[in-house]
Every structure is written in structure tokens, then in C-alpha cells.
Amino acid sequence: SRNYEKARPRFSSLRKYPWEKRKHADATHFPNPTGRYLTGLSQHSENIKTMREKPMKPKFKFTDGNMKNKLGTSIEPVFQPPDANMTYADNFTSYCSKEEYLDYYEVLSEIFIKGDLKGKGADKKGKASLEDKQFMSKWLYRSEPLVQTNLSMLHNEGGKLSRGEGQKANASAFHEELSQQKQLFMEKSGLNSIHYSYLEYIFIIFGNYCSKFNKPDALRVAWYKAKEAGISMSEKMCNSYLYVLTNNPSMLSGTVPEAGSILSDLLKGNETSVGNTKEDIPCEVATYHDLLYKPTDRSTKLRVSSLVAIGDAAAAEELLNDFASGPSGDSVKLRTYLPILKSYCDSNLCDKAFCLFSRMQRSPQAHLEPENYVLLLSTLAQNGYFRDDNKAPHLTNAKGLGYNYNSGPMLFDEFVKHMAEDVLEISATSAKRLYNSFVESSKDLMHEEAKVLPTMALLESNVSRAMDNELIAGRTIIDSSTARCPRSNATLRLLKLNKIQRERLHEGLIDVSADAYHEFNKKRNVTREESKIACEKLREFSNWMNEREQKPFTAVVDGANVAYFGQNFHEGRFNYHQIEFLVKALESIHEHALVVLPSKYTQDSFHVNLGGWRKQKMDKKERAVLKRLEKNGQLYVTPAGFLDDYYWMLASISDQKNSSNSTSFAVSAEQAAKEGRFPGARPMVLSNDLMRDHRLELFDPRLFRRWTASHIVNYDFTAFVNDECIDADIGFSTPDFFSKEIQGNPTENGTAWHFPVTEWTENNERLVIRLPRTNPKEYKSFYSH
């Protein structure tokens, strides 16, 4: 009986907290609705609780298709889908198989029950009435066509569509076809304009649902329905359908549903049985899109795949050329080229495949994979293009595409040289494919036991020395101490960063440091703009390295990594004595070290993670270690919140211009033997950091791999207990002796190419290929690249 609305504002402070958490509070501070103060929580507590509770929402239950609340009052019933077994017609006129229909049935029912259908007849809440839903459902749940579909323009066989004014004319003509189909459908179905507006909305939601939950089979049936109803799709709606179809290659063909339709007649030719014909739905959707809107790479890819599927790769390339000559030509991706390239290679059309591949190499958006190179390389090898005799055919267009040779081993060298600039390694499947391709065309030039390997067979290693005139193609093991290949007698090299690559890596480190800083400090809500300070600080360090005039650093120590090494035991700690121990060991082999250390570890106390987080206080001996390093100019402390990785990585590629007088201080093999040092690049980095998933590897995998192979040195010693060391021995693993990337090296009879294989992780195994020359005197090596 009280006026609750007037009293309600006086309870605003109570609503902020749960009632149970306020029991300890003084009850006299809380007024009640009557205006009088409470004298105790027990009085009127139930009344107050009731007033603070939200109104109870009625709970519904199904009863014979009607909904009732708890009071038993009937409310508007909800839509109930029909029985799928009753609506599916299991005959040759059906849209699809029963499995596909059930997927469609599931999505449609989800939309009807949970979705609020929008359209011209929707109420104020945007909902269609139950009667409208039931009337539309008779056709939507039907599994066979109600009317014939007459959209002949969809069957341009994936071919060229006009642009400019021609495209506008096509769009206008196709809109007329859709309008006629719509009129035919509405006359036969009895649906009015309000129902039709609901249908348009349903097909939009259907595309979005199938895109989100990957329902290609359901979308197949929806596409048949949309065509039959003459639905005019928006560009966004088309893109949803294209997305689902592009990511489901199995949708390239299906069963034609329209009995006696023009569409089925175009596809099946003289056949009369609908169930035995095939229809390319992705091509239809792509053609639908390109008739009404500007073609995209996705729609072109589907039409290209359609043409390739029916064996017309030439028409597919013509279509690709037409798209590439348009305003979006630079957007052609690898996925659009590949069906044509594979078709040419499968048909042994080597000239066409070679031309297309050269075009793919020049395309800015076609990022080639190792398998793409191997596809063409194996096709050429299988057809004998790399033989050095009169059996070798010639590529008619190779010289016009910038190659010096059109056949023979020199063509192979040129092609693989380009491949090595773009690819680091190949897969085991690709290695076996290359091996088999040479066996098929040149078994007479290989060792006696060479034979084509079946699908499940493994390529076995061979370490026996090959004859000078033997074609080598197979798996072998490189000697880890001499870097020599036992099959070809070639010596593999350590491919180092050149000056341009060092500069590129230097700038790349500075660029990616901002992203790393932002990620590292995201809990502090650091913005992208604020993250740019990481670049500034790293450049300051780079300038310091170049401007200092003292003795150049030939080693850089990852201080945190060394201090934590082996300390994961009960009395373990961040051990500064291990850092000093490593620095002195480097001095004993004539290396001058710089220690890079995060500022956190220069504080009097800090937290360490050694089998769990705990606090560590720096003692006097540990402080003395830092002072000695600082006094000798061998300590650089990175700013708080900045990743030290980027500092010691950048130090390893710094030119140190003033201290080195701009000359290289790399150690040659002769100098190393004389001074007892490691041969290779300087400065070397002392760290056991595995550097997995490093951002720089995403920046440029080749530069990152060459850097790690040339500069990283691992260490091993017995962990210290405080400042005590039981065993003073220390071991270093030198940088790689030869690079793990594709490289060619000279032999007495041609270039031996060695391919690292991803799955061959042990014993320094490589795929080696060397093609013999009939005239070694004219041989020109291509190993330098």
C-alpha cells in the first residue's frame, strides 16, 4: 500500500551491494519505505528484500503446441518445425540427399524458432506472425522444386564476363531474369510481397549462419531455394555464400535438382536423368556475383576452378587474364593461379606451366610455397627437360622470360637458384616426388638400384660416392665435422648475412620491437603510440654501439639467460657469479664480451621464477660483480619494461663503426686455429634461448635463420651454488658449420644442390641432386648466390 516509487530513490545506495554483505552495518543508517528508521535488521527485513528483488520473469512450458505461464494463462504459441521424415521427398526430383536436407532442416528450424524475422509485415518488435511462418514453411521445408528455374545467364560456363558498359548491360539483363523467376514463383506458391520480404531476410541469415558454423551442405539447398525464388542478393550476401563455398572444395559439384529446367538441360546435355548430372554450385554463385557486381579474387578463383574441373585450363587462364587486366588485377592470390598450374603440370603442358609460374613469381599477392616450386620442377624433370643430351626437349619461352638456357642442367641450376632465394626447405613428400621424377626420365643416368618409390615407401639414405658422370638424386648424410657430402664430394657452406641483409635485419629488429613492447606491457594498457618509445630506446643503444671507441665487443652475453642457467633447485637464485664466470671464460679465448641485463636485476630486490615466484635480495658479492662489469665497460642495462632480447640481438649485428674502424672482425679458420678461437661471424651471442616463435622469424625467416646459424653459441657448465663452483670446466657449442637452407656447391662435374627436408631432423640429412654434364669444360657454376 506504500508509494514505492517515492521511496525507491532512498534505496539507491543499497542497490550497489548484496544484502548479505551489509549485515554488519548499522541498521539505523537505512531508511525504510515508511520514512521511519529501522531499529534492527530483523524488523521489516523480508519486506525490504522483496522490494529490492527484480520482478519475476514468467517461465514457459510446452503443452500441445501452446505456451502457458505458471498461472496457466495461454499466450501466443511458437513455431514448431514439421517432421523432417514427412517433408523430405526421396526421389530423383529432390534438391539433395537426405543427409544434406537434414543439415538444411536443422539450420532453417534454428532460424524460425530463435530468429526474429524482419520484413514488410513485421510488428513493432520486428517479428513475423506465427501464421506467416507456417505459410512460408510449406515451401521452405519442401525438398523438391515447386517451379522450374530459368536463370540461363548463370551458365556462362565460368567464361569471360564484360566490364564497363557491357557489365551494366549484363546486370540489367540478369535482374530481368531474376524478376521473371520471382513472378513465376510467387504465382505458383501463393506468397505475397510481405512473405517474400521475409524470405529475403531468411536467406541473408542463412548465409551468415552457414558462414559462422561452416554448414556447406545446408547452404547448397538454400542456394537451390534462392534461385527458385528469384532472390536478388546484395553483394554482402553473395560474399557470405562465396566464403562458405571457397573454404569447401568438395562443393565443386552436386546433384541438379530442377526437373526439366533450362539450368539442368544446359549442364546435362542429352541426359534426361536429373540424379545423374552434376552442377557446379560455387561457379554459379561466383557467376551470380560477377553478373551483378565487380569480380573479386574469390569469385574469380571459383570460376577458374570450375573451368579446370571440366578440363578447360586454357579458358581458365583466359578468365584469369581478363580479371588481372582490370582494376583489381594486383589482388590475384596464389589460390587462384594454382588450379591452372596443376592442370598444366598434370597434362605435361610444360611451356604453359613455365610461363604461368613465371607470372606467379612476379605477382605481388601470390606468395609461393615450396610445394609450388617442386610441382613445376618435378614436371620438367619427369619430361626430361634437364637431360644434357639430344633426348632433352626445349622450353620455347624460357629465354624470353629471363633465363639463359631453355633445357639441360644449366636450366635446372637457374631455376633452383631462384627457388633458393624464396624457399628454405622442402617436405619429405616433395623430396620423394623430385627423386621419382628423375628416375622416370633419366634412370639410365642413375645408379643401378634407382627405382620409382610407391606412395608409402621411404627414401633411404645413400652415403656411397657417386661416379663422375652419374646423375645424383637421393637422400644422404652430410659429415658434421667437414660439411662434405659423401655422394657428390661437394662441401656445404655457412651462408652468412651480407651487408644489405644485416642492415635490413637491423631495421627489422627496431620495427618489431614496438609490437613486442606493446604485447609485453598490455596489462599496463600501453597504447600503440606509446609503444614507439621501444624503437627510440633501441636506436639509442644502436648509436651507443657505433659511437663508443673502446675495444670492440666480439661476444654478447644474454645475462638473464646465463644467471638463471641450472638454478632450478631449492637454494637456486639469479646467479650473478655465473655471468662473471662466463665472461672470464670468453676472455681466456681472446673474446671481449658485453653483458646485456634487464634493469630489474640491478635492483636491491626483485622477484625470480625458479620453480615458483619468490623474492630475491642482492647481496654485496653480487653487487660487486655488477660494479666490476660496469667499471670495465662490459655491462649494458636495458630500460624497465623493455625486452632485452632485442638488445643483444641488435648488438650481434652492429657494425661498431668507431671501435672497429668499419672493418670486419669475423674470425677466419686460419686465425681461429692460431689463436684458439671459434671461426665465424662476430660478435657471437652466448645464450641457450631456443628462440621459438620469435617475432623476427615472422618478419623474415631467411634472415632469422642465417642470423641464428652464424651468431648463436650455446654454453654448458656446472651450476653455481651461490658463489661456489664445483667444476670450473665450461663447454661451448660453436655456430653451425654449414647452413640449413637450399644451396648449390661446385663439384668436378656440375653443381650439387642440397635441399634441407623438414621431416629429416637427425644426422644432417639432405636431398642431394647433381646433374652430370656431357661437356664439363663448358660448365659454369651457379653455386654462388
Side-chain angles (χ1 to χ4, degrees):
S1 63
R2 301 293 181 184
N3 189 341
Y4 174 56
E5 291 301 324
K6 290 183 179 179
R8 192 176 182 182
R10 302 173 71 180
F11 282 81
S12 59
S13 61
L14 288 177
R15 293 193 196 97
K16 297 179 182 178
Y17 308 98
W19 179 264
E20 290 76 14
K21 293 184 179 180
R22 301 299 300 270
K23 287 183 179 179
H24 64 280
D26 184 0
T28 59
H29 291 182
F30 302 101
N32 65 16
T34 65
R36 296 190 299 271
Y37 286 94
L38 298 175
T39 57
L41 283 175
S42 60
Q43 299 180 11
H44 308 291
S45 60
E46 293 300 324
N47 183 32
I48 293 173
K49 285 183 180 179
T50 302
M51 293 172 65
R52 292 180 66 248
E53 289 179 354
K54 294 181 180 179
M56 182 183 69
K57 294 182 180 180
K59 296 182 180 179
F60 302 109
K61 58 183 179 180
F62 287 99
T63 306
D64 298 329
N66 294 322
M67 288 181 106
K68 295 184 178 182
N69 59 22
K70 282 192 171 183
L71 300 177
T73 306
S74 297
I75 62 172
E76 183 182 352
V78 297
F79 176 83
Q80 286 193 337
D83 186 351
N85 293 319
M86 300 295 294
T87 55
Y88 179 71
D90 191 7
N91 55 51
F92 73 97
T93 63
S94 181
Y95 288 109
C96 53
S97 67
K98 189 168 184 179
E99 291 74 16
E100 293 169 336
Y101 176 77
L102 290 176
D103 272 359
Y104 168 80
Y105 176 93
E106 178 186 349
V107 177
L108 183 61
S109 300
E110 189 86 2
I111 294 172
F112 263 130
I113 295 174
K114 294 187 177 180
D116 294 333
L117 304 184
K118 297 179 182 179
K120 295 179 181 178
D123 59 19
K124 293 181 179 180
K125 296 183 180 179
K127 297 181 179 180
S129 67
L130 178 62
E131 290 75 13
D132 288 333
K133 290 182 179 180
Q134 289 175 335
F135 190 71
M136 291 184 295
S137 70
K138 293 179 181 179
W139 174 74
L140 284 168
Y141 281 100
R142 184 184 174 99
S143 68
E144 53 188 344
L146 180 66
V147 298
Q148 177 177 292
T149 301
N150 299 302
L151 299 175
S152 60
M153 291 188 70
L154 281 184
H155 287 270
N156 190 31
E157 295 301 326
K160 185 186 297 185
L161 296 176
S162 302
R163 292 201 304 269
E165 294 300 321
Q167 198 274 337
K168 291 180 181 179
N170 282 338
S172 177
F174 188 55
H175 272 302
E176 181 62 26
E177 275 195 355
L178 289 172
S179 179
Q180 293 175 5
Q181 182 67 33
K182 173 183 174 181
Q183 184 178 357
L184 176 66
F185 167 74
M186 292 183 70
E187 289 175 357
K188 185 71 173 178
S189 65
L191 298 178
N192 57 33
S193 59
I194 294 176
H195 296 142
Y196 196 84
S197 67
Y198 287 137
L199 286 184
E200 292 175 319
Y201 184 74
I202 287 173
F203 285 115
I204 292 173
I205 300 300
F206 211 103
N208 295 339
Y209 187 98
C210 293
S211 175
K212 183 176 181 180
F213 297 103
N214 192 26
K215 296 280 188 178
D217 288 337
L219 195 71
R220 179 198 297 273
V221 186
W223 171 246
Y224 292 146
K225 289 282 187 182
K227 288 190 299 178
E228 185 182 349
I231 298 293
S232 180
M233 295 184 176
S234 67
E235 186 170 13
K236 184 177 180 181
M237 183 177 174
C238 279
N239 287 333
S240 294
Y241 281 59
L242 287 172
Y243 174 80
V244 178
L245 301 174
T246 307
N247 292 295
N248 289 275
S250 61
M251 291 283 288
L252 282 174
S253 61
T255 304
V256 177
E258 296 91 344
S261 69
I262 292 176
L263 197 59
S264 63
D265 292 339
L266 284 170
L267 282 175
K268 68 184 180 181
N270 296 326
E271 295 181 14
T272 57
S273 174
V274 178
N276 293 329
T277 60
K278 293 291 182 182
E279 183 175 4
D280 192 346
I281 296 176
C283 182
E284 278 193 359
V285 179
T287 305
Y288 184 109
H289 174 277
D290 292 355
L291 282 168
L292 300 179
Y293 311 104
K294 290 182 179 180
T296 63
D297 176 69
R298 191 184 296 276
S299 63
T300 304
K301 187 265 179 187
L302 290 172
R303 293 169 62 203
V304 163
S305 299
S306 173
L307 286 168
V308 170
I310 62 175
D312 198 350
E317 187 172 8
E318 184 181 355
L319 170 62
L320 184 61
N321 293 339
D322 184 60
F323 175 72
S325 63
S328 303
D330 289 341
S331 66
V332 182
K333 295 182 174 61
L334 178 65
R335 66 187 182 190
T336 309
Y337 287 106
L338 278 182
I340 306 175
L341 178 66
K342 189 175 186 306
S343 177
Y344 284 155
C345 289
D346 290 345
S347 303
N348 294 320
L349 300 174
C350 296
D351 275 300
K352 290 186 175 183
F354 198 81
C355 279
L356 182 65
F357 192 85
S358 297
R359 178 179 170 183
M360 292 165 65
Q361 288 178 300
R362 297 190 300 270
S363 179
Q365 293 296 322
H367 304 295
L368 294 169
E369 299 291 339
E371 293 76 16
N372 310 141
Y373 281 95
V374 172
L375 174 62
L376 180 58
L377 197 62
S378 60
T379 301
L380 295 174
Q382 185 177 357
N383 286 275
Y385 279 88
F386 299 134
R387 293 181 65 101
D388 195 20
D389 53 26
N390 55 10
K391 294 182 180 180
H394 295 259
L395 291 172
T396 58
N397 48 29
K399 292 187 176 181
L401 295 171
Y403 284 79
N404 296 312
Y405 301 88
N406 54 20
S407 68
M410 307 304 286
L411 174 64
F412 179 84
D413 289 346
E414 280 192 281
F415 187 86
V416 179
K417 181 179 178 181
H418 291 305
M419 178 181 177
E421 292 171 354
D422 200 26
V423 171
L424 288 171
E425 58 190 17
I426 62 176
S427 67
T429 302
S430 294
K432 188 166 71 173
R433 180 170 189 166
L434 282 172
Y435 167 81
N436 281 341
S437 65
F438 280 105
V439 174
E440 290 179 11
S441 67
S442 307
K443 190 179 186 305
D444 56 314
L445 303 176
M446 302 177 70
H447 64 89
E448 297 177 355
E449 297 179 0
K451 60 181 179 180
V452 175
L453 296 177
T455 304
M456 300 302 293
L458 296 177
L459 189 57
E460 299 293 337
S461 294
N462 187 345
V463 294
S464 61
R465 178 71 179 271
M467 298 177 63
D468 289 342
N469 61 345
E470 181 182 324
L471 188 155
I472 303 173
R475 183 175 183 173
T476 192
I477 301 174
I478 308 301
D479 190 309
S480 60
S481 60
T482 63
R484 188 169 294 277
C485 170
R487 289 284 290 151
S488 64
N489 203 36
T491 302
L492 277 66
R493 296 163 293 136
L494 178 64
L495 303 175
K496 303 175 184 177
L497 296 169
N498 58 38
K499 182 176 177 58
I500 295 176
Q501 291 172 331
R502 287 168 66 93
E503 291 174 354
R504 186 181 174 196
L505 185 60
H506 181 281
E507 294 306 309
L509 274 168
I510 293 176
D511 290 341
V512 300
S513 65
D515 292 333
Y517 178 82
H518 181 265
E519 183 71 20
F520 187 67
N521 294 280
K522 62 182 179 181
K523 290 184 178 179
R524 296 169 48 207
N525 298 321
V526 174
T527 64
R528 290 285 180 185
E529 189 65 27
E530 292 171 338
S531 298
K532 291 181 180 179
I533 191 175
C535 301
E536 298 171 7
K537 293 293 184 181
L538 197 56
R539 200 170 289 280
E540 286 178 11
F541 173 68
S542 176
N543 294 336
W544 176 78
M545 289 288 292
N546 283 323
E547 293 170 2
R548 59 181 298 277
E549 298 180 352
Q550 295 85 353
K551 184 178 179 180
F553 296 116
T554 60
V556 183
V557 177
D558 178 2
N561 184 267
V562 175
Y564 274 117
F565 178 71
Q567 292 295 314
N568 195 14
F569 55 91
H570 180 66
E571 296 180 3
R573 58 193 287 112
F574 187 88
N575 202 304
Y576 298 85
H577 302 286
Q578 293 187 167
I579 298 176
E580 189 174 39
F581 172 70
L582 184 61
V583 169
K584 289 181 178 180
L586 290 169
E587 290 175 352
S588 68
I589 54 174
H590 310 289
E591 304 291 350
H592 185 54
L594 169 68
V595 177
V596 176
L597 195 66
S599 63
K600 165 185 173 178
Y601 301 111
T602 63
Q603 307 300 315
D604 291 334
S605 63
F606 49 86
H607 286 86
V608 294
N609 185 11
L610 293 168
W613 287 99
R614 62 176 184 266
K615 194 171 185 179
Q616 176 176 324
K617 292 184 178 181
M618 188 186 301
D619 60 30
K620 293 181 180 180
K621 291 182 179 180
E622 293 169 335
R623 177 64 67 183
V625 170
L626 292 184
K627 287 183 177 180
R628 284 193 292 271
L629 290 172
E630 186 177 7
K631 181 180 179 181
N632 295 333
Q634 293 179 279
L635 178 66
Y636 191 92
V637 179
T638 62
F642 294 80
L643 292 173
D644 60 315
D645 300 32
Y646 291 89
Y647 286 81
W648 48 260
M649 289 174 71
L650 189 127
S652 69
I653 56 173
S654 173
D655 291 331
Q656 302 186 60
K657 294 178 180 178
N658 289 346
S659 59
S660 66
N661 295 321
S662 298
T663 59
S664 173
F665 34 82
V667 179
S668 65
E670 295 77 11
Q671 184 182 359
K674 182 179 179 180
E675 300 177 2
R677 303 171 68 186
F678 300 138
R682 294 294 189 278
M684 55 185 180
V685 175
L686 279 297
S687 178
N688 287 341
D689 191 335
L690 297 177
M691 307 198 67
R692 291 172 178 162
D693 302 322
H694 202 281
R695 286 178 180 271
L696 194 62
E697 188 170 17
L698 301 176
F699 165 72
D700 193 318
R702 180 180 301 279
L703 296 188
F704 185 76
R705 181 173 290 192
R706 285 194 179 181
W707 174 80
T708 54
S710 304
H711 290 271
I712 293 291
V713 173
N714 300 133
Y715 57 85
D716 187 30
F717 55 82
T718 302
F720 281 54
V721 178
N722 296 322
D723 61 340
E724 296 180 0
C725 176
I726 300 175
D727 187 353
D729 289 339
I730 185 169
F732 296 106
S733 63
T734 59
D736 289 348
F737 198 56
F738 50 91
S739 296
K740 189 181 179 183
E741 56 182 282
I742 299 172
Q743 59 174 283
N745 295 285
T747 69
E748 295 177 358
N749 191 23
T751 301
W753 288 94
H754 292 85
F755 300 77
V757 177
T758 307
E759 294 86 346
W760 301 349
T761 57
E762 298 179 358
N763 302 324
N764 295 316
E765 291 183 299
R766 298 287 191 275
L767 173 73
V768 56
I769 297 176
R770 189 201 66 184
L771 308 183
R773 273 69 173 174
T774 55
N775 190 356
K777 293 182 179 180
E778 297 180 1
Y779 163 62
K780 179 182 177 182
S781 174
F782 278 81
Y783 70 88
S784 178
H785 62 277

